[in-house]
Amino acid sequence: MPSAVNTHLLARLCEFLRVSPTPWHATQNMATRLEQAGFTPLQETAAWQLTPGQRYYVTRNDSSIIAFQLPRDRVASLRMIGAHTDSPGLRLKPNATQHAAGWLQLGVEVYGGALLAPWFDRDLGIAGRVHVRHADGRLEGVLLNVDQPVAMVPSLAIHLDRDANNGRAINAQTQMAPVLMQSDSAELTPLLATWLREQHGLTDVDVVDFELSFYDLQPPSLIGVNQELVASARLDNLLSCFMGLEALLASDGEQGALFVANDHEEVGSASACGAQGPFLGDVLKRINAQVGGGSEESLIQLVQSSCMLSCDNAHALHPNFRDKHDEHHGPAINGGPVIKINANQRYATNSATSALFRDVCREAKVPVQAFVTRADMGCGSTIGPITATEVGVPTMDVGIAQWAMHSIRETAGTQDVGYLTDALMQFLNRKRL
């Protein structure tokens, strides 16, 4: 069984995953925890008045968040942790309503590099952001979470597709539309109006637009005879959001520290609130102007004196597919944090940042591993190289090992959650970088 400390940590993790079906919900939940811990909310459209020794947070698009704590004197460096709030899945199209064989279905786009096969025959809810127009003409965005099994993508019986187990391709346009209701005339908009009334008491409003996704209603759980595993949707990358936030909240507050969780990593990060956008750079400029040196040169000094740990999960050695790993770089679940390395800079790690993190893990008394993809296979990427390119901050990529990345349900190690949280806290508390 996990230790008592880890049990409490895992309970918080599972609850965070359960109530965070979309980036907007995850951001709102992180903001709530930050405010409960004494962080002051900031608005990007307002003038900032930052005070040394205080803690703040700011959101953009309601789906990305930056939280930071200031030292008691001038900010000379920042220990940064980065993650992302989005996960692959099925997003509703704007004109989603469609009918076939007497059933209401909703057309979807695949968001990111989703593994499609596990989406079949699951109890699906709907969640996201809806913009409504009030009777006085005012537009408002509200969060929606239909946490009931209102939809399913049914499989085709093997009797009608004898090649189903032989690698049949899945067509996202024609085969992935979930069914919601036995009707040849029902529409989505009245359903949205009903759910908005039930959840927000909104009656005299018009639905103007929405960003909604289907999600798996199966709750997170601890798996294995000794509960070695945690299984859930959206471990990539809400798990890193959770650990980064836990580390920030538990840090001693002596050092300048910053946590950023960007949206849109799974689709390239090219947005105003993504890692390729100016969100982090804007915040750093305002910190420098208020409690740094205030000049362009002091901003460069601040960035180059700082360090970013980009946290995103790594591919764990799979017992059924061991040949998919380099035999010397297959990280084990519950083997400790993973340093992610790629010669072609798909990860931002170099020997200097890797040495720093190894030293952090030594100080935190946690094991550490390395991941390098096979030389004959392609490699994914993270916000790490993008942040390093856009901001210029020394960066490295780390994470914990997991199975089934981009599946509707992913699996990681329960001990690793505590390991990386401890390492991140040690990094934030470290007096020197």
Side-chain angles (χ1 to χ4, degrees):
M1 291 289 292
S3 67
V5 172
N6 272 345
T7 299
H8 294 302
L9 184 71
L10 292 168
R12 291 196 299 274
L13 168 63
C14 289
E15 178 62 11
F16 174 66
L17 293 168
R18 187 187 68 81
V19 298
S20 303
T22 73
W24 300 280
H25 290 86
T27 298
Q28 182 186 66
N29 292 327
M30 287 188 283
T32 298
R33 283 203 67 191
L34 288 164
E35 288 203 41
Q36 291 171 345
F39 281 71
T40 300
L42 299 169
Q43 299 297 325
E44 287 199 280
T45 55
W48 289 8
Q49 298 294 327
L50 304 180
T51 303
Q54 298 302 305
R55 301 184 292 178
Y56 304 90
Y57 80 89
V58 60
T59 65
R60 181 174 286 189
N61 188 49
D62 297 325
S63 63
S64 296
I65 190 167
I66 294 177
F68 56 93
Q69 63 186 25
L70 301 174
R72 293 186 177 88
D73 52 10
R74 177 176 175 270
V75 179
S77 65
L78 288 168
R79 290 120 183 90
M80 304 185 198
I81 297 172
H84 65 87
T85 59
D86 61 323
S87 303
L90 302 182
R91 291 276 179 101
L92 273 65
K93 293 182 177 180
N95 300 319
T97 299
Q98 58 189 56
H99 298 93
W103 288 90
L104 168 65
Q105 296 178 277
L106 296 181
V108 295
E109 283 186 285
V110 179
Y111 178 89
L115 192 63
L116 293 180
W119 279 83
F120 287 86
D121 306 316
R122 294 273 185 169
D123 295 354
L124 301 179
I126 298 175
R129 180 169 66 169
V130 181
H131 278 84
V132 299
R133 182 189 300 110
H134 291 265
D136 60 4
R138 175 172 52 93
L139 294 176
E140 180 186 14
V142 296
L143 297 188
L144 181 69
N145 182 11
V146 185
D147 57 354
Q148 301 172 5
V150 295
M152 175 181 285
V153 184
S155 293
L156 181 65
I158 195 168
H159 312 77
L160 305 178
D161 184 4
R162 292 294 184 180
D163 294 325
N165 292 328
N166 297 325
R168 176 176 58 81
I170 298 173
N171 188 309
Q173 174 67 25
T174 62
Q175 299 172 341
M176 292 296 298
V179 296
L180 279 81
M181 180 188 299
Q182 194 163 20
S183 171
D184 56 9
S185 61
E187 298 284 335
L188 173 61
T189 300
L191 293 175
L192 292 178
T194 298
W195 294 327
L196 289 170
R197 183 176 65 253
E198 293 173 349
Q199 295 189 20
H200 297 284
L202 296 173
T203 55
D204 192 15
V205 296
D206 295 321
V207 174
V208 180
D209 216 329
F210 56 78
E211 294 168 278
L212 294 169
S213 300
F214 288 101
Y215 73 97
D216 184 17
L217 286 174
Q218 184 177 358
S221 58
L222 303 184
I223 304 293
V225 173
N226 296 313
Q227 297 188 339
E228 303 97 333
L229 302 171
V230 55
S232 175
R234 302 176 299 282
L235 291 184
D236 177 17
N237 192 26
L238 293 188
L239 179 50
S240 296
C241 291
F242 172 81
M243 293 184 293
L245 188 64
E246 285 279 326
L248 179 63
L249 295 177
S251 63
D252 60 21
E254 295 297 317
Q255 311 301 323
L258 182 147
F259 168 69
V260 54
N262 291 110
D263 196 0
H264 298 145
E265 189 273 347
E266 298 292 359
V267 292
S269 295
S271 70
C273 59
Q276 194 175 337
F279 188 26
L280 177 57
D282 288 348
V283 171
L284 293 176
K285 290 175 185 176
R286 297 176 88 158
I287 291 174
N288 177 64
Q290 292 266 322
V291 290
S295 67
E296 184 175 349
E297 181 158 338
S298 66
L299 176 62
I300 296 173
Q301 291 173 339
L302 171 62
V303 169
Q304 292 307 310
S305 299
S306 302
C307 184
M308 161 74 81
L309 295 186
S310 166
C311 292
D312 207 342
N313 299 345
H315 298 295
L317 182 64
H318 197 300
N320 297 337
F321 300 93
R322 287 174 292 173
D323 60 330
K324 295 298 183 180
H325 280 80
D326 181 301
E327 60 180 329
H328 301 294
H329 301 93
I333 281 182
N334 289 321
V338 180
I339 299 173
K340 300 162 68 173
I341 303 161
N342 181 258
N344 295 303
Q345 288 299 291
R346 299 292 288 170
Y347 303 130
T349 308
N350 59 35
S351 59
T353 54
S354 178
L356 170 63
F357 188 71
R358 289 181 184 276
D359 217 33
V360 166
C361 290
R362 178 187 61 82
E363 293 168 353
K365 297 181 173 58
V366 302
V368 63
Q369 311 179 82
F371 170 76
V372 181
T373 193
R374 286 176 57 107
D376 55 359
M377 294 177 65
C379 179
S381 191
T382 69
I383 67 166
I386 296 171
T387 301
T389 300
E390 294 297 323
V391 178
V393 62
T395 303
M396 69 171 304
D397 278 286
V398 301
I400 68 173
Q402 72 157 92
W403 293 325
M405 190 175 291
H406 290 194
S407 175
I408 195 172
R409 192 166 180 84
E410 302 165 317
T411 308
T414 51
Q415 292 297 322
D416 283 334
V417 179
Y419 284 149
L420 185 51
T421 302
D422 288 347
L424 294 177
M425 186 170 60
Q426 179 65 33
F427 169 69
L428 295 181
N429 290 341
R430 210 168 194 255
K431 290 181 169 53
R432 66 185 185 279
L433 289 175

